[in-house]
Structure formats: C-alpha cells, structure tokens
Amino acid sequence: MSDQFRVVFVGFNADTDSQNAMESLATKLGVSKQKVIAFTQGKPLFGATDKNKCLKQAKLLAIYGFQSKVQPQQSNMQSAPVANNAANERVFEALDYITSSLIRIEEKLEELEQRIDGNEKSGDEKEEEQWQSDELFDELDLDTEPKPKSKKLLYVLLAILFILLIILGFSLAFPEMVQF
C-alpha cells in the first residue's frame, strides 16, 4: 500500500479575491460554498490519495488563487474513524433524502385520492340533480359494476421503499463493502 497524502490550505494569493475564488472553486468542483469555506478553515476538501493526484489537486487550487501544500497523511488507524464518520454522514444524508422523498410521495398520493374522491362526489351530485333524465337510461342494460380502484402505484412505492430500506440496512451492516 502506497503512502497517502492530502492537500492542505495555506492561504490565498496576494492578488486573489477570496470570495470570488471560493465561489469559482465551488462551481468547478460541484460542491457547496460552505465546503470550500470549511477547507479554508482546515477541513479537508479532497480525500487522502497518492502524491501525484494530490499535486494535480494543488495545481487546480493554484489556478483559482489558493495556496496549498501536499501533506503526508497520518497512519491509517487515525484516518479510519474519519472515513467511517464520512461514510456515516453520507448514509444519514441518503436516509434524509429518502425520507423527504417518501413524504413528498405520500402527499402526492393524498392529493390524488382527494381529487378522485372529489370527482366521484361531484358526479353523484350531478346525478341527483338530473333525476328526471334517468328514464332514458332505463331502456339500456347497464348492470356493469365500476372497477375497483387500482392500488398498483401504492404497491410499487411500497416495494421501492422496502428495497431502499434493505440497501440502507446492508450499507449499515457492511460499510466496507458499500461505497457511495
């Protein structure tokens, strides 16, 4: 196993506007500005990797006006809890996203049910208002019963929920096997 290195923030170039540099870097990397600000306060922006990749990362930072240095990573025993915390953070973010998605789906289902119930009630009211015109329909043989409501969408959503919960449980039980 090769040595691990990490890019560490040192400062900004003298002619660099720190706010513009942070915004530009956040846009380039596709991360939030808060993560770049945390990088300027000593938190890592990139994961530990080999020296060549760290040098490329340092060059990228230099393009945007950041001064940085490549620092050897401490022993794996100390970096394991940090990696585990990062993995736990990603799992909790994923769980939060899944939960909020399920809440939105549930709200949409309730909305659809209310619309369907509203349409049925308005149809019943119209029938009661037009009771005199029912004589025309007496001649027709209309013994068909309405189809029951399909719960296929609900079952599909429940199946997706169970699959996501199984994946989440698997990732919590075996975090070293699941990489996000």
Side-chain angles (χ1 to χ4, degrees):
M1 185 167 141
S2 65
D3 292 332
Q4 297 288 309
F5 294 88
R6 179 164 283 170
V7 177
V8 179
F9 176 75
V10 175
F12 289 102
N13 291 340
D15 60 340
T16 302
D17 178 26
S18 62
Q19 293 298 323
N20 288 337
M22 287 189 279
E23 289 176 9
S24 299
L25 182 64
T27 304
K28 172 68 176 170
L29 297 176
V31 296
S32 67
K33 187 177 176 187
Q34 288 78 17
K35 190 161 184 164
V36 175
I37 292 171
F39 172 67
T40 62
Q41 296 170 350
K43 302 235 176 179
L45 181 62
F46 303 105
T49 185
D50 60 68
K51 191 170 187 173
N52 289 334
K53 192 166 185 179
C54 282
L55 291 173
K56 289 179 184 177
Q57 293 168 350
K59 286 180 186 177
L60 174 72
L61 291 171
I63 291 172
Y64 290 99
F66 289 83
Q67 293 177 354
S68 60
K69 65 180 180 179
V70 176
Q71 191 174 46
Q73 186 65 27
Q74 297 166 350
S75 70
N76 288 338
M77 296 302 270
Q78 293 176 353
S79 66
V82 172
N84 195 13
N85 287 341
N88 286 343
E89 238 178 80
R90 284 181 280 176
V91 168
F92 284 123
E93 287 174 2
L95 183 60
D96 184 42
Y97 177 76
I98 291 169
T99 304
S100 62
S101 296
L102 288 173
I103 290 170
R104 285 185 297 223
I105 290 170
E106 183 180 359
E107 289 171 354
K108 293 287 184 182
L109 283 174
E110 288 175 1
E111 218 175 89
L112 288 173
E113 286 177 358
Q114 288 175 356
R115 285 184 190 170
I116 291 172
D117 290 342
N119 289 341
E120 287 178 0
K121 288 180 183 177
S122 65
D124 291 341
E125 290 171 0
K126 288 178 184 175
E127 265 185 32
E128 290 174 6
E129 291 174 4
Q130 299 176 356
W131 62 274
Q132 293 176 345
S133 63
D134 286 343
E135 294 172 2
L136 297 174
F137 293 108
D138 288 339
E139 297 173 5
L140 300 174
D141 187 23
L142 299 175
D143 291 335
T144 59
E145 295 181 14
K147 294 181 180 177
K149 293 181 185 176
S150 173
K151 296 191 178 196
K152 184 177 181 181
L153 178 62
L154 178 63
Y155 293 134
V156 169
L157 292 174
L158 285 174
I160 291 171
L161 172 66
F162 287 125
I163 290 170
L164 290 174
L165 288 175
I166 289 169
I167 291 171
L168 178 64
F170 185 75
S171 67
L172 289 174
F174 304 104
E176 65 278 354
M177 293 179 69
V178 178
Q179 299 289 331
F180 286 101

